[in-house]
Amino acid sequence: MTRVVQFRIYRYDPDKDQKPYMQDISVELEPTDKKLLQALVRVKAKDDSLSFRRSCREGVCGSDAMNINGKNGLACLTDIDSLAQPIVLRPLPGLPVIRDLIVDMTQFFKQYHSITPYLINDDPPPERERLQTPEEREELNGVYECILCACCSTSCPSFWWNPDKFVGPAGLLNAYRFIADTRDTATNQRLDDLNDPYRLFRCHTIMNCVDVCPKHLNPTKAIGKIKELMVSRAV
Amino acid sequence: MKVAKHTFDAVIVGAGGAGLRAALQLAEAGLRTAVLTKVFPTRSHTVAAQGGVAASLGNSTPDHWHWHMYDTVKGSDWLGDQDAIEFMVRKANEVVIELEHFGMPFDRTDEGKIYQRPFGGHSMNYGEAPVMRSCAAADRTGHAMLHALYQRNVRARTHFFVEWMALDLIRDSEGHVLGVTALELETGEVAIFHAKATIFATGGAGRIYHSSTNAFINTGDGLGMAARAGIPLEDMEFWQFHPTGVAGAGVLITEGVRGEGGILRNCNGERFMERYAPNLKDLASRDVVARAMVTEINEGRGCGPNKDYVLLDITHLSPEIIMKRLPGIREIAIQFAGVDPIKEPIPVVPTCHYMMGGIPTNYRGQVVVPKDGDPNVPVPGFYAAGECACASVHGANRLGTNSLLDLLVFGKASAETAVADIKSGNLTLRELPKDAAEVSLARLARLENQKEGEPVADVLLELQRTMQKHAGVFRFKDMLEEGVQKILAVEERVRRTAIRDHSKVWNTARMEALELENLIEVAKATMISAAARKESRGAHVRDDCPDTPEFPNGRNDKEWLKHTLWFRDGNRLEYKPVNLKPLNPDTQPIALAKRTY
């Protein structure tokens, strides 16, 4: 039995299109095709002009984030059979579209870079590893696994409204990753930097980020912990 | 087409582990460095590494770098160069500790040290007992490492050119390497990156096989560029396979499934391993199992519409055992095979995993070629590190966790050599040839103007199926010879691919066509080198070179203890000796012996 899947895909090539349009296209699948990404590769074999990013195809590189039937996710981890047809694919919302499903992620990475995303410790490094207890290391679980796919930040209304001022869930999750690391000595500086009506406090716990994270991480919880630390520091 | 020119002290191609480690060294030395990468750095394939990085820290069991050296030489089936291997294992502690200082979130022991776990082929006291040598961050070591290295590069203000695809190596009439041409994906513009030093860190090429654990981006771009520029490729017949990857998806299923009682079956439902390994059956060693699987498929007993996989069956185990012992595997099977292994068997195939060969380098990361009777003369201005390079530390078979170590050690070493060469004035900015971009522009023009031609996807599929069938786990003389003819026929088709998309903006059809031109070089090198090596060694196992008293495991040290060099020009092969001498005169070499575990 042949399996045919119907798609409605957002298309826009600035080189030739006056404006974006939705393309209706269907493809026949092989029985081994389970994931949306595999179906997209077949669409591309039919129409090689469809552009999207992809790499590891197992949910760890973060390349193929897109808006799938209205919800952000990774194409490589999304079951084709779980989706109502036609499958409507759009680029991640809130970021400028370069072409088809490819968005300009400059603003997203700018926010990530704004949180000084590296370990700060100005003490002279010891000859061996810096020690950290298993319990201290445990604090990093659920935060260091972020793959920077941008599913969360581009599903966040606060990020849509203030992408230049609000760090967004991905950036804040990563900020907490360094705050929570006992080897990092810049906690105060990091909290000062985030203590701002926009950078941190635009988070209104809408929790779209938690809903869409393909790695099952919880940025809202990390943001809450940052806020708690600010309060306890002030007392 | 107008071609912009950018000038740097050094240009690095690739931003995986090796490229990022090299970039850090150059940036911290204060040199103007450009890093070109097809994907945002944290999307490089290092991100998918799981198990760990080897270092004889001895945090949980006693360990010594010389034991690690022994394991690595033995794992390589003595094809690894002992100077490079000694260099790597002795640098291991330093580069892993550095990484910890950079912020890598390693798991911890109760004393707060880096957690280490046992791994295949790594032993204590020269094979006596398993050792805990693999430094790990859960089963996400590559992800943690790549992000830590990227973060450190953010701190060092490294200059990245993200989503640029390098096209060709630029060499002058004297053979000096002067940089690369590259294509900016967003605009379709071509630019020249002119530099004193060029470092390739372009990763693997596992996409030459139909079934691969590798990412889509692993298309051997550095190897294609090097081959087109007259640089030979070393030991390309050696590819590592894992017996049980999910068919179609390529995602790995651990050997532990068979440890819990899993059985491999063919299309007749037969437990075929009983015929190949009557005693250990499904728990025979990896190469034996993988060979048996390929034989079943080649003889028509594979499963599925194309009869191109076998089944891994655990339906006879109780659901409780599966949920308790194999919950992660169940998750993978449900995600990527679409089957719940409690109810249905998992389609699996031996899956291409790692390229032991590559661009020939010495232990300092310099690319070396034969010249005037010396097999290892550095090419001025050219360096390589990581999976694209062949130092050679993995020889005929790589040990798990030595790949992450390789990219740290040689990423750093290649950059240190480049820094020294630039600062000493050995390398200067040489004049670009007038036609520096001609080769690349001609390739692009050919694609642009090709009217009648085959779709890239069709030719790629034929390439991958040919490699899978003719140069897989288990190799046959006639299959290899036929494979050479088939791959040369595929090469003719690669020259005539046509794309329908002619947009300048983010043209992925063009990118895939250019990648195919790199994959074909890797495929030719692999097939031709494999057909020529008439022995069994490590991952290269031939039906016509069986285990005999004269040639244990089919290995023939008298004639074949040597590295292959494949030259693109005329598909010529040369050979060079293996270095059996360690770097330090006081270091005990690892003497040749039969490889048994």
Side-chain angles (χ1 to χ4, degrees):
Chain A
M1 197 184 75
T2 52
R3 233 164 111 224
V4 176
V5 179
Q6 312 285 338
F7 282 101
R8 264 179 86 72
I9 306 178
Y10 178 100
R11 300 297 307 266
Y12 174 62
D13 175 2
D15 217 20
K16 66 178 178 60
D17 299 327
Q18 294 291 316
K19 55 179 189 184
Y21 64 96
M22 297 303 285
Q23 175 191 26
D24 290 305
I25 189 166
S26 63
V27 282
E28 203 174 301
L29 300 183
E30 293 291 324
T32 48
D33 293 335
K34 305 294 177 194
K35 300 297 172 186
L36 175 59
L37 179 60
Q38 292 172 296
L40 272 177
V41 168
R42 297 210 184 273
V43 173
K44 188 163 176 59
K46 204 169 169 182
D47 176 357
D48 71 7
S49 70
L50 175 66
S51 293
F52 53 93
R53 295 185 176 103
R54 84 284 180 270
S55 184
C56 77
R57 58 83 173 94
E58 58 191 47
V60 69
C61 80
S63 297
D64 62 350
M66 55 188 71
N67 188 267
I68 305 157
N69 281 353
K71 188 176 171 185
N72 291 352
L74 298 182
C76 62
L77 293 184
T78 301
D79 284 328
I80 301 163
D81 293 341
S82 72
L83 299 170
Q85 293 186 33
I87 299 169
V88 181
L89 299 180
R90 295 175 180 276
L92 289 175
L95 293 175
V97 176
I98 299 174
R99 176 177 175 177
D100 299 342
L101 301 175
I102 295 176
V103 291
D104 180 350
M105 297 185 72
T106 307
Q107 195 61 57
F108 172 78
F109 286 122
K110 216 171 177 172
Q111 290 297 357
Y112 172 70
H113 290 149
S114 81
I115 59 102
T116 49
Y118 46 84
L119 192 89
I120 297 176
N121 186 326
D122 294 331
D123 300 337
E127 223 166 272
R128 291 287 300 230
E129 63 265 55
R130 291 194 163 98
L131 299 179
Q132 188 172 49
T133 67
E135 295 69 34
E136 290 169 340
R137 169 60 183 75
E138 182 74 27
E139 276 301 303
L140 305 183
N141 285 346
V143 285
Y144 84 94
E145 300 94 328
C146 172
I147 59 174
L148 299 175
C149 64
C151 281
C152 60
S153 292
T154 61
S155 70
C156 172
S158 295
F159 190 75
W160 296 338
W161 294 323
N162 295 291
D164 53 334
K165 295 185 199 140
F166 174 49
V167 171
L172 290 169
L173 181 81
N174 279 283
Y176 182 69
R177 178 250 171 274
F178 292 101
I179 290 168
D181 195 323
T182 51
R183 300 169 296 172
D184 188 276
T185 55
T187 299
N188 272 324
Q189 177 190 323
R190 292 181 190 279
L191 293 177
D192 290 346
D193 169 65
L194 294 174
N195 197 355
D196 172 279
Y198 282 95
R199 282 180 67 68
L200 175 70
F201 289 99
R202 282 292 116 168
C203 171
H204 298 309
T205 57
I206 299 165
M207 294 184 74
N208 281 0
C209 54
V210 183
D211 192 36
V212 298
C213 178
K215 306 307 286 185
H216 312 296
L217 307 179
N218 190 332
T220 307
K221 192 172 156 197
I223 291 166
K225 286 188 172 180
I226 297 174
K227 288 178 180 168
E228 270 172 40
L229 283 170
M230 278 181 184
V231 172
S232 64
R233 183 175 73 150
V235 179
Chain B
M1 186 187 259
K2 205 176 127 277
V3 176
K5 243 181 265 182
H6 303 284
T7 304
F8 288 90
D9 289 319
V11 56
I12 298 171
V13 184
L20 289 181
R21 188 62 192 82
L24 201 51
Q25 209 63 23
L26 286 157
E28 289 181 348
L31 296 180
R32 272 176 48 77
T33 306
V35 183
L36 309 186
T37 172
K38 274 201 294 194
V39 295
F40 185 79
T42 62
R43 318 223 187 280
S44 308
H45 196 54
T46 302
V47 79
Q50 297 174 355
V53 50
S56 55
L57 293 171
N59 282 354
S60 294
T61 52
D63 205 356
H64 193 281
W65 63 262
H66 199 254
W67 302 348
H68 188 189
M69 178 172 169
Y70 169 84
D71 293 334
T72 303
V73 172
K74 179 178 165 184
S76 82
D77 217 348
W78 276 268
L79 194 70
D81 288 319
Q82 298 201 14
D83 59 340
I85 292 173
E86 181 187 356
F87 182 79
M88 179 176 81
V89 300
R90 294 186 81 160
K91 284 273 178 197
N93 289 7
E94 170 192 316
V95 294
V96 168
I97 294 293
E98 270 174 2
L99 202 59
E100 194 282 327
H101 293 163
F102 294 166
M104 166 111 173
F106 283 110
D107 286 358
R108 299 289 167 158
T109 65
D110 288 342
E111 300 86 58
K113 297 177 183 173
I114 293 171
Y115 166 77
Q116 299 185 280
R117 60 160 64 112
F119 234 83
H122 290 280
S123 74
M124 214 186 285
N125 206 16
Y126 312 104
E128 227 173 65
V131 69
M132 294 168 84
R133 186 179 287 150
S134 171
C135 309
D139 55 1
R140 304 185 188 95
T141 310
H143 171 278
M145 176 185 284
L146 191 66
H147 280 254
L149 285 171
Y150 176 68
Q151 290 156 0
R152 191 72 175 183
N153 272 283
V154 171
R155 179 179 179 269
R157 298 179 188 280
T158 299
H159 193 157
F160 288 103
F161 288 80
V162 175
E163 298 180 335
W164 281 72
M165 180 183 180
L167 297 176
D168 286 285
L169 197 61
I170 302 171
R171 300 180 78 182
D172 65 12
S173 55
E174 290 172 57
H176 288 244
V177 168
L178 309 182
V180 291
T181 52
L183 175 77
E184 186 181 31
L185 295 172
E186 186 175 336
T187 63
E189 299 292 331
V190 174
I192 287 173
F193 288 80
H194 186 198
K196 298 171 186 169
T198 302
I199 301 179
F200 272 13
T202 57
R207 286 276 155 179
I208 63 169
Y209 285 93
H210 189 236
S211 171
S212 173
T213 64
N214 283 201
F216 280 101
I217 57 169
N218 290 18
T219 54
D221 297 345
L223 283 80
M225 287 187 274
R228 282 193 297 275
I231 306 284
L233 302 181
E234 180 175 347
D235 292 343
M236 292 299 292
E237 59 271 46
F238 299 102
W239 284 83
Q240 182 164 79
F241 288 79
H242 192 287
T244 55
V246 175
V251 181
L252 211 63
I253 300 276
T254 177
E255 237 162 45
V257 172
R258 281 170 282 141
E260 294 292 335
I263 290 171
L264 291 163
R265 296 189 192 279
N266 63 18
C267 66
N268 303 320
E270 184 201 3
R271 183 180 194 180
F272 60 85
M273 281 310 298
E274 287 177 329
R275 279 187 280 118
Y276 295 88
N279 192 23
L280 289 180
K281 302 188 181 79
D282 303 89
L283 280 176
S285 70
R286 272 187 190 180
D287 55 341
V288 173
V289 177
R291 262 184 278 171
M293 291 167 69
V294 173
T295 305
E296 291 297 302
I297 292 167
N298 280 346
E299 292 180 358
R301 291 187 296 278
C303 309
N306 298 317
K307 292 186 162 295
D308 54 2
Y309 56 79
V310 300
L311 294 171
L312 177 58
D313 186 3
I314 51 172
T315 55
H316 53 288
L317 301 184
S318 75
E320 291 72 34
I321 289 284
I322 294 171
M323 298 303 286
K324 188 173 169 197
R325 305 277 184 209
L326 304 166
I329 288 309
R330 181 173 180 239
E331 197 60 39
I332 284 175
I334 291 169
Q335 271 276 351
F336 288 100
V339 299
D340 182 343
I342 291 175
K343 298 174 196 145
E344 284 177 82
I346 311 166
V348 290
V349 282
T351 301
C352 166
H353 187 56
Y354 187 86
M355 172 178 77
M356 268 73 75
I359 302 167
T361 69
N362 58 23
Y363 73 90
R364 303 178 66 220
Q366 295 171 299
V367 175
V368 292
V369 296
K371 196 179 174 187
D372 304 329
D374 182 344
N376 294 307
V377 178
V379 177
F382 195 23
Y383 310 80
E387 190 170 343
C388 77
C390 181
S392 152
V393 286
H394 309 304
N397 173 67
R398 174 177 71 76
L399 295 187
T401 70
N402 268 352
S403 55
L404 291 186
L405 178 59
D406 170 356
L407 56 83
L408 288 175
V409 169
F410 294 105
K412 184 177 182 183
S414 60
E416 280 179 333
T417 310
V419 168
D421 288 344
I422 290 169
K423 292 202 165 167
S424 68
N426 271 352
L427 289 180
T428 53
L429 203 64
R430 294 167 67 92
E431 198 184 331
L432 278 174
K434 285 204 168 52
D435 58 354
E438 274 317 301
V439 175
S440 302
L441 294 179
R443 289 173 66 207
L444 290 169
R446 199 280 297 166
L447 260 182
E448 198 57 35
N449 300 321
Q450 187 85 33
K451 297 287 180 248
E452 304 285 314
E454 274 187 279
V456 172
D458 292 0
V459 183
L460 174 63
L461 187 62
E462 180 63 20
L463 185 155
Q464 292 174 330
R465 290 224 164 117
T466 304
M467 295 307 297
Q468 193 77 27
K469 187 170 172 193
H470 291 266
V473 180
F474 191 59
R475 296 167 178 187
F476 307 81
K477 183 173 183 291
D478 53 341
M479 291 293 284
L480 286 168
E481 284 162 5
E482 196 189 324
V484 170
Q485 297 314 312
K486 282 193 176 175
I487 277 297
L488 293 176
V490 171
E491 183 185 22
E492 291 307 310
R493 294 167 62 183
V494 171
R495 292 180 207 276
R496 295 192 307 268
T497 52
I499 53 175
R500 278 163 290 176
D501 184 2
H502 293 288
S503 171
K504 287 179 75 63
V505 181
W506 250 107
N507 187 327
T508 47
R510 179 180 294 144
M511 181 179 80
E512 289 178 13
L514 294 166
E515 288 173 335
L516 180 62
E517 295 183 3
N518 294 324
L519 286 167
I520 188 65
E521 300 301 335
V522 178
K524 280 187 296 175
T526 299
M527 198 67 92
I528 291 166
S529 303
R533 181 175 285 271
K534 296 187 176 59
E535 66 159 352
S536 294
R537 184 186 296 270
H540 177 67
V541 176
R542 288 176 67 121
D543 184 43
D544 55 340
C545 303
D547 185 21
T548 63
E550 192 187 359
F551 303 116
N553 293 338
R555 197 177 88 195
N556 179 352
D557 287 334
K558 216 152 64 185
E559 286 177 77
W560 288 101
L561 184 58
K562 57 188 180 184
H563 296 295
T564 307
L565 292 176
W566 170 84
F567 293 79
R568 178 175 185 261
D569 187 15
N571 287 311
R572 184 165 53 87
L573 294 178
E574 280 186 26
Y575 293 91
K576 67 176 184 180
V578 174
N579 190 346
L580 297 169
K581 265 197 265 174
L583 198 56
N584 187 323
D586 299 333
T587 299
Q588 189 69 29
I590 311 302
L592 284 162
K594 181 174 177 175
R595 186 163 157 256
T596 52
Y597 285 102

mmCIF file of all heavy atoms in Angstrom, chain B residues 79 102 121 200 211 213 231 243 323 329 342 362 371 401 411 523 589:
data_model
loop_
_atom_site.group_PDB
_atom_site.id
_atom_site.type_symbol
_atom_site.label_atom_id
_atom_site.label_comp_id
_atom_site.label_asym_id
_atom_site.label_seq_id
_atom_site.Cartn_x
_atom_site.Cartn_y
_atom_site.Cartn_z
ATOM 1 N N LEU B 79 48.648 -0.913 12.374
ATOM 2 C CA LEU B 79 48.796 0.002 11.239
ATOM 3 C C LEU B 79 48.975 1.457 11.701
ATOM 4 O O LEU B 79 49.360 2.320 10.925
ATOM 5 C CB LEU B 79 47.586 -0.102 10.296
ATOM 6 C CG LEU B 79 47.757 0.543 8.922
ATOM 7 C CD1 LEU B 79 48.745 -0.255 8.059
ATOM 8 C CD2 LEU B 79 46.417 0.670 8.182
ATOM 9 N N PHE B 102 37.772 24.795 30.774
ATOM 10 C CA PHE B 102 36.952 25.612 29.861
ATOM 11 C C PHE B 102 35.471 25.572 30.263
ATOM 12 O O PHE B 102 34.670 26.324 29.726
ATOM 13 C CB PHE B 102 37.051 25.101 28.416
ATOM 14 C CG PHE B 102 38.405 25.224 27.773
ATOM 15 C CD1 PHE B 102 38.681 24.535 26.597
ATOM 16 C CD2 PHE B 102 39.398 26.025 28.314
ATOM 17 C CE1 PHE B 102 39.925 24.643 25.987
ATOM 18 C CE2 PHE B 102 40.647 26.130 27.710
ATOM 19 C CZ PHE B 102 40.909 25.433 26.538
ATOM 20 N N GLY B 121 38.093 -2.355 24.313
ATOM 21 C CA GLY B 121 39.483 -2.335 23.863
ATOM 22 C C GLY B 121 40.434 -1.594 24.774
ATOM 23 O O GLY B 121 41.647 -1.637 24.558
ATOM 24 N N PHE B 200 42.578 22.197 7.746
ATOM 25 C CA PHE B 200 41.341 21.469 7.445
ATOM 26 C C PHE B 200 40.895 20.688 8.681
ATOM 27 O O PHE B 200 41.685 19.936 9.267
ATOM 28 C CB PHE B 200 41.553 20.486 6.283
ATOM 29 C CG PHE B 200 41.326 21.106 4.925
ATOM 30 C CD1 PHE B 200 41.232 22.483 4.768
ATOM 31 C CD2 PHE B 200 41.192 20.300 3.797
ATOM 32 C CE1 PHE B 200 41.013 23.052 3.515
ATOM 33 C CE2 PHE B 200 40.974 20.854 2.540
ATOM 34 C CZ PHE B 200 40.890 22.230 2.395
ATOM 35 N N SER B 211 23.891 3.281 4.640
ATOM 36 C CA SER B 211 23.495 3.230 6.041
ATOM 37 C C SER B 211 24.648 3.764 6.883
ATOM 38 O O SER B 211 25.724 3.169 6.904
ATOM 39 C CB SER B 211 23.177 1.791 6.425
ATOM 40 O OG SER B 211 22.994 1.709 7.822
ATOM 41 N N THR B 213 25.801 6.163 10.568
ATOM 42 C CA THR B 213 25.427 6.904 11.777
ATOM 43 C C THR B 213 25.712 8.392 11.592
ATOM 44 O O THR B 213 25.365 9.198 12.438
ATOM 45 C CB THR B 213 26.250 6.420 12.999
ATOM 46 O OG1 THR B 213 27.628 6.716 12.764
ATOM 47 C CG2 THR B 213 26.075 4.938 13.241
ATOM 48 N N ILE B 231 46.645 16.288 -3.471
ATOM 49 C CA ILE B 231 47.090 15.685 -2.207
ATOM 50 C C ILE B 231 46.550 14.251 -2.148
ATOM 51 O O ILE B 231 45.354 14.037 -2.391
ATOM 52 C CB ILE B 231 46.547 16.482 -0.993
ATOM 53 C CG1 ILE B 231 46.902 17.969 -1.096
ATOM 54 C CG2 ILE B 231 46.990 15.868 0.329
ATOM 55 C CD1 ILE B 231 48.310 18.342 -0.784
ATOM 56 N N PRO B 243 27.584 -3.369 13.978
ATOM 57 C CA PRO B 243 26.608 -4.336 13.439
ATOM 58 C C PRO B 243 25.160 -3.852 13.465
ATOM 59 O O PRO B 243 24.425 -4.084 12.517
ATOM 60 C CB PRO B 243 26.775 -5.556 14.351
ATOM 61 C CG PRO B 243 28.139 -5.438 14.933
ATOM 62 C CD PRO B 243 28.407 -3.960 15.048
ATOM 63 N N MET B 323 11.889 -3.360 29.782
ATOM 64 C CA MET B 323 11.684 -2.054 30.418
ATOM 65 C C MET B 323 12.770 -1.759 31.452
ATOM 66 O O MET B 323 13.132 -0.613 31.667
ATOM 67 C CB MET B 323 10.315 -2.000 31.113
ATOM 68 C CG MET B 323 9.129 -2.165 30.179
ATOM 69 S SD MET B 323 9.092 -0.944 28.865
ATOM 70 C CE MET B 323 8.568 0.493 29.791
ATOM 71 N N ILE B 329 16.929 1.762 24.575
ATOM 72 C CA ILE B 329 16.853 1.113 23.269
ATOM 73 C C ILE B 329 15.408 1.020 22.803
ATOM 74 O O ILE B 329 15.097 1.219 21.634
ATOM 75 C CB ILE B 329 17.502 -0.291 23.354
ATOM 76 C CG1 ILE B 329 19.017 -0.145 23.485
ATOM 77 C CG2 ILE B 329 17.132 -1.143 22.163
ATOM 78 C CD1 ILE B 329 19.660 0.746 22.449
ATOM 79 N N ILE B 342 9.076 -4.741 22.178
ATOM 80 C CA ILE B 342 8.356 -5.727 22.997
ATOM 81 C C ILE B 342 7.469 -6.577 22.087
ATOM 82 O O ILE B 342 7.273 -7.767 22.318
ATOM 83 C CB ILE B 342 7.502 -5.017 24.081
ATOM 84 C CG1 ILE B 342 8.420 -4.381 25.112
ATOM 85 C CG2 ILE B 342 6.526 -5.986 24.735
ATOM 86 C CD1 ILE B 342 7.706 -3.542 26.159
ATOM 87 N N ASN B 362 51.496 14.401 9.804
ATOM 88 C CA ASN B 362 52.388 13.899 10.849
ATOM 89 C C ASN B 362 51.777 14.249 12.216
ATOM 90 O O ASN B 362 50.690 14.845 12.283
ATOM 91 C CB ASN B 362 53.804 14.454 10.678
ATOM 92 C CG ASN B 362 53.829 15.985 10.691
ATOM 93 O OD1 ASN B 362 52.922 16.627 11.238
ATOM 94 N ND2 ASN B 362 54.861 16.574 10.099
ATOM 95 N N LYS B 371 57.838 13.014 -1.538
ATOM 96 C CA LYS B 371 58.574 13.914 -2.427
ATOM 97 C C LYS B 371 60.043 13.513 -2.415
ATOM 98 O O LYS B 371 60.620 13.351 -1.336
ATOM 99 C CB LYS B 371 58.416 15.363 -1.928
ATOM 100 C CG LYS B 371 58.813 16.409 -2.959
ATOM 101 C CD LYS B 371 58.603 17.810 -2.376
ATOM 102 C CE LYS B 371 59.132 18.873 -3.318
ATOM 103 N NZ LYS B 371 59.084 20.205 -2.696
ATOM 104 N N THR B 401 36.183 6.256 21.965
ATOM 105 C CA THR B 401 36.671 7.375 22.798
ATOM 106 C C THR B 401 38.009 7.951 22.323
ATOM 107 O O THR B 401 38.413 8.996 22.804
ATOM 108 C CB THR B 401 36.837 7.026 24.301
ATOM 109 O OG1 THR B 401 37.955 6.129 24.451
ATOM 110 C CG2 THR B 401 35.615 6.407 24.892
ATOM 111 N N GLY B 411 43.811 18.909 16.940
ATOM 112 C CA GLY B 411 43.310 20.268 16.698
ATOM 113 C C GLY B 411 44.271 21.264 17.302
ATOM 114 O O GLY B 411 44.705 22.240 16.668
ATOM 115 N N ALA B 523 34.695 8.033 -2.196
ATOM 116 C CA ALA B 523 34.231 6.707 -2.607
ATOM 117 C C ALA B 523 35.268 6.014 -3.488
ATOM 118 O O ALA B 523 35.578 4.834 -3.298
ATOM 119 C CB ALA B 523 32.890 6.832 -3.341
ATOM 120 N N PRO B 589 58.573 0.366 22.270
ATOM 121 C CA PRO B 589 57.620 0.181 21.174
ATOM 122 C C PRO B 589 56.679 -0.989 21.460
ATOM 123 O O PRO B 589 56.999 -1.849 22.279
ATOM 124 C CB PRO B 589 58.495 -0.112 19.953
ATOM 125 C CG PRO B 589 59.869 -0.345 20.453
ATOM 126 C CD PRO B 589 59.950 0.025 21.896
#
